[in-house]
Amino acid sequence: YDAKRSGRRVEHYDVDRHGDSSGRLALVEELRAGVQRGELVLHHQPQVDVVTGRTVGVEALVRWAHPTRGLLQPADFLPLAEVHGLMGPLTDEVLTQAVAQAAAWHRSGQGLRVSVNLSASNLLDTGLPQRVAGLLAAHDLPPSALVLEVTETVLLSDPDRSLAVVAALAALGTTVSIDDFGTGYASLTYLHQLPVGELKLDRSFTADLLTDGRAGAIVASTIRLAHQLGLRVVAEGVEDPATLLHLRALDCDETQGYLHAPPLPATELEEWRTVHERQRTGARH
Ligand code: C2E
Ligand code: MG
Ligand code: MG
Ligand code: MG
């Protein structure tokens, strides 16, 4: 895999270092305009079935192709968007692109699920479920092809309202996923209350799996609990084959991480998938 070819930038634009408060406000205005001008792009990271090796889904991760600063990463602009009330339009744009891409893959016979991250303010937006329903209908995408990732903490500011929005999204037939599972608190309470279909084990557990027996115990019992509740488990941040083998032994369902591929533009994801499928089927026959 060639990072240069994918046009990814290694350097980060550091908002705090470069921006005094007026610099930050200028960036907010650029973001507001940039969202409308179509400067947001999605990169897609594959999610691989642990047993078959098949690519079953992708997580769509937003980047901002800034006209002069290069490709900005989520950490460079999402915190600003959240604070300055831009998460609504940003998420609408991400959802529109993600659903359109999923529908295109669907039409070409590749039934890939697409996962989209939602933020705290998105879950306070009671109009969101209806807009998601509209997008699915407009692109003729089965709701089961869309996964919506929320973290435990996004539910905290107004739990009643957030839970109602999550319930409405699940009622559409989309899958609700708990992202970064294990880093928040009251995890078990939320699993019990929410119409959740998927759980994503946080990268910190995956990273420590081989070296820390306690992390191993937490992962093993979390997977068992999730399965007892009927949830699919996706491990994040899988970087080496030994960790993948361990996760397979623990009955984890899917893995995502640099071991397979970094987040890639859609066409590169398709190229990666072609190669990966050839290796996968070649190794089995
Ligand atoms: P996340 O949802 O937990 O996404 C996974 C992050 O881990 C991604 O960072 C991904 O590039 C990175 N990652 C994947 N595999 C590995 C690995 O093997 N090792 C390591 N060290 N990292 C790996 P990214 O793309 O910078 O996104 C960071 C966070 O920004 C995401 O964390 C998510 O919380 C947020 N985010 C990204 N796109 C969106 C979006 O469209 N909307 C919202 N609301 N949040 C987003
Ligand atoms: Mg995520
Ligand atoms: Mg995550
Ligand atoms: Mg994480």
Side-chain angles (χ1 to χ4, degrees):
Y1 169 73
D2 182 351
K4 264 205 207 87
R5 251 193 70 220
S6 78
R8 295 191 317 145
R9 294 277 182 100
V10 184
E11 74 264 29
H12 275 230
Y13 176 77
D14 184 335
V15 172
D16 287 326
R17 190 158 49 82
H18 292 267
D20 51 10
S21 68
S22 70
R24 274 199 295 277
L25 281 182
L27 194 64
V28 170
E29 286 319 309
E30 288 178 41
L31 180 57
R32 196 189 304 279
V35 171
Q36 284 175 357
R37 279 198 295 260
E39 292 172 5
L40 297 185
V41 293
L42 298 186
H43 285 188
H44 306 270
Q45 186 175 36
Q47 298 174 326
V48 175
D49 185 296
V50 167
V51 174
T52 65
R54 201 183 282 274
T55 304
V56 283
V58 299
E59 179 171 7
L61 295 152
V62 70
R63 278 89 179 92
W64 177 12
H66 190 281
T68 57
R69 288 168 171 149
L71 193 66
L72 302 187
Q73 300 296 310
D76 300 326
F77 60 95
L78 285 185
L80 283 179
E82 185 75 12
V83 172
H84 293 277
L86 289 180
M87 274 323 275
L90 186 146
T91 301
D92 283 347
E93 173 65 16
V94 168
L95 279 166
T96 301
Q97 289 189 33
V99 168
Q101 182 62 68
W105 280 328
H106 229 76
R107 280 193 301 274
S108 71
Q110 316 178 61
L112 280 180
R113 294 184 328 242
V114 177
S115 297
V116 171
N117 293 280
L118 299 180
S119 78
S121 52
N122 295 144
L123 292 189
L124 300 176
D125 176 0
T126 52
L128 181 66
Q130 224 170 10
R131 296 202 303 284
V132 170
L135 271 177
L136 293 170
H139 291 272
D140 202 16
L141 183 72
S144 59
L146 182 64
V147 178
L148 298 167
E149 297 189 4
V150 303
T151 60
E152 298 149 276
T153 44
V154 306
L155 300 164
L156 292 179
S157 73
D158 185 345
D160 289 343
R161 190 149 135 209
S162 307
L163 288 175
V165 171
V166 168
L169 290 168
L172 298 175
T174 67
T175 298
V176 175
S177 173
I178 304 289
D179 202 357
D180 303 336
F181 186 82
T183 58
Y185 79 103
S187 310
L188 301 177
T189 316
Y190 283 124
L191 275 190
H192 172 66
Q193 290 180 353
L194 285 167
V196 173
E198 180 186 276
L199 188 154
K200 297 190 78 176
L201 276 177
D202 190 63
R203 180 161 78 231
S204 56
F205 295 111
T206 311
D208 291 347
L209 195 55
L210 298 179
T211 52
D212 180 352
R214 289 154 58 100
I218 293 171
V219 169
S221 55
T222 301
I223 292 172
R224 216 174 305 123
L225 171 71
H227 285 167
Q228 277 165 2
L229 294 171
L231 311 184
R232 168 172 74 220
V233 181
V234 181
E236 300 185 319
V238 178
E239 297 184 352
D240 59 275
T243 300
L244 173 61
L245 282 177
H246 198 136
L247 286 163
R248 184 188 293 170
L250 295 179
D251 209 19
C252 183
D253 300 295
E254 296 172 18
T255 50
Q256 177 182 343
Y258 297 159
L259 171 66
H260 304 299
L264 297 168
T267 51
E268 285 176 46
L269 187 272
E270 287 166 14
E271 287 167 23
W272 174 87
R273 203 180 175 213
T274 304
V275 173
H276 180 82
E277 266 307 287
R278 204 179 293 139
Q279 288 168 347
R280 187 182 73 85
T281 50
R284 283 163 57 99
H285 298 296

